[in-house]
Amino acid sequence: MMNDANEISHHTMLYGVVGENAGQSSLSAVLNKLFKANNKNAMMIPMNIRQDDFYYTLVNMKKSHVNGALLAREYTQSVVELLDDASDAVKLSGVCDMVVRDGQTLFGDVVFASVLVEVLKKRGAKKIALLGVNGYAKAFCLAAKSFEISYFYDDLEALMQFVTQMQKRDADINRMAIGMQVELSSYDAVVDFSDFESLDMVCSLGTLNLDIKGKKEPSVLKARAEELDVSYVGFDGMLEETAQEIFGFLTKKRHLEDDKSDMKF
């Protein structure tokens, strides 16, 4: 188990952060502090996995000592076909960012949608502008039931299909595209899951502006927020909330029942 020297025994519950550049993230350190503060016999480690090795890594996790993993965005879609079971959010959205092993089966869920909801609640946001129609936008809509959401995208037909699938009656849908002038300052927060190459059409942003891009990933929202001198929060600004969400998820899955009170070295 993990002790004060961060040692690992055969009984330690090991988890990974799986991505092409997983070692660049500080999430493992934040989550490990949370494990230690709660006396849990668990540890998360970065796992730099290339695209060519991802399938092999996940399939072999079923027979390994790794009990689960948080997945970087480049793997959140390809992993779905490798799961034995999944949450309703994964089934609807087609994305999965958290995998846990139960015996020799893999279960998948989405945690980042809930992370964003917690960040928004902490900041007192109620009125949200949601940009994009991808899987994460769907997962966010499922988790964000307490907010008033307006929907923005450049393809109105795709946007209509999105709100229909999400069963949002009388949804406030808005087209935004290059060449337009879009005002978002009336919103408490802007959440960006779009595939826009630029947000130059946005003349004003919300009080708070969020996406889940890492600090070394290009973010059009971050670039526009800096140009307009407004607040931006990306993945690295939500590490505490992400660690708490993963901790809660693992607790619900009964993965953290062993603790440091049993000295099993």
Side-chain angles (χ1 to χ4, degrees):
M1 96 193 120
M2 185 175 68
N3 62 11
D4 289 338
N6 290 337
E7 293 176 345
I8 300 173
S9 80
H10 295 294
H11 301 279
T12 303
M13 297 292 284
L14 283 178
Y15 302 95
V17 177
V18 173
E20 291 186 294
N21 299 292
Q24 296 178 0
S25 171
S26 300
L27 178 60
S28 295
V30 176
L31 185 57
N32 287 335
K33 288 181 181 178
L34 189 59
F35 286 149
K36 184 177 290 187
N38 286 273
N39 207 40
K40 297 301 180 183
N41 184 8
M43 180 178 283
M44 177 170 271
I45 57 176
M47 299 173 63
N48 290 330
I49 304 297
R50 300 177 305 176
Q51 295 273 356
D52 293 345
D53 296 326
F54 179 70
Y55 176 85
Y56 174 85
T57 301
L58 262 290
V59 169
N60 283 276
M61 186 180 292
K62 297 180 181 183
K63 298 181 180 180
S64 75
H65 293 295
V66 178
N67 296 281
L70 182 75
L71 306 178
R73 285 189 305 109
E74 61 262 27
Y75 297 135
T76 54
Q77 290 181 292
S78 57
V79 70
V80 175
E81 64 182 271
L82 305 178
L83 301 174
D84 299 292
D85 195 10
S87 67
D88 290 341
V90 171
K91 293 174 182 177
L92 177 65
S93 68
V95 296
C96 166
D97 55 28
M98 189 74 205
V99 174
V100 289
R101 180 173 60 81
D102 182 8
Q104 292 192 18
T105 63
L106 296 179
F107 175 85
D109 208 342
V110 186
V111 298
F112 276 117
S114 299
V115 170
L116 287 168
V117 168
E118 288 305 309
V119 173
L120 291 167
K121 286 181 177 179
K122 283 183 179 181
R123 304 291 183 94
K126 296 180 180 179
K127 189 177 180 182
I128 312 298
L130 177 61
L131 315 186
V133 296
N134 67 7
Y136 261 115
K138 294 175 183 178
F140 176 77
C141 283
L142 283 179
K145 296 178 180 178
S146 62
F147 301 111
E148 177 186 347
I149 303 177
S150 296
Y151 304 88
F152 292 81
Y153 198 49
D154 57 350
D155 185 337
L156 277 181
E157 183 177 350
L159 196 53
M160 287 293 295
Q161 291 174 351
F162 177 88
V163 297
T164 299
Q165 183 180 11
M166 300 308 300
Q167 299 182 348
K168 301 296 182 181
R169 294 184 178 181
D170 303 318
D172 178 20
I173 63 173
N174 305 269
R175 182 171 183 267
M176 61 184 295
I178 297 298
M180 299 178 65
Q181 290 190 335
V182 181
E183 298 280 350
L184 299 178
S185 57
S186 62
Y187 295 93
D188 300 324
V190 174
V191 178
D192 182 22
F193 290 122
S194 74
D195 52 4
F196 292 125
E197 295 183 359
S198 168
L199 290 179
D200 288 347
M201 79 289 281
V202 177
C203 303
S204 63
L205 283 166
T207 304
L208 177 63
N209 303 281
L210 305 168
D211 64 22
I212 55 174
K213 301 288 184 67
K215 59 186 175 183
K216 293 191 176 182
E217 293 181 87
S219 165
V220 295
L221 181 65
K222 179 182 180 180
R224 193 62 177 142
E226 290 176 348
E227 291 168 355
L228 297 174
D229 194 25
V230 292
S231 173
Y232 164 82
V233 178
F235 172 81
D236 295 278
M238 297 182 276
L239 294 181
E240 294 291 342
E241 291 85 357
T242 303
Q244 289 286 348
E245 191 65 30
I246 294 172
F247 187 90
F249 172 77
L250 295 176
T251 300
K252 289 178 183 177
K253 299 300 290 184
R254 304 179 69 86
H255 267 232
L256 300 179
E257 296 186 342
D258 188 27
D259 62 39
K260 295 198 295 183
S261 61
D262 294 322
M263 299 304 290
K264 297 177 180 176
F265 286 98

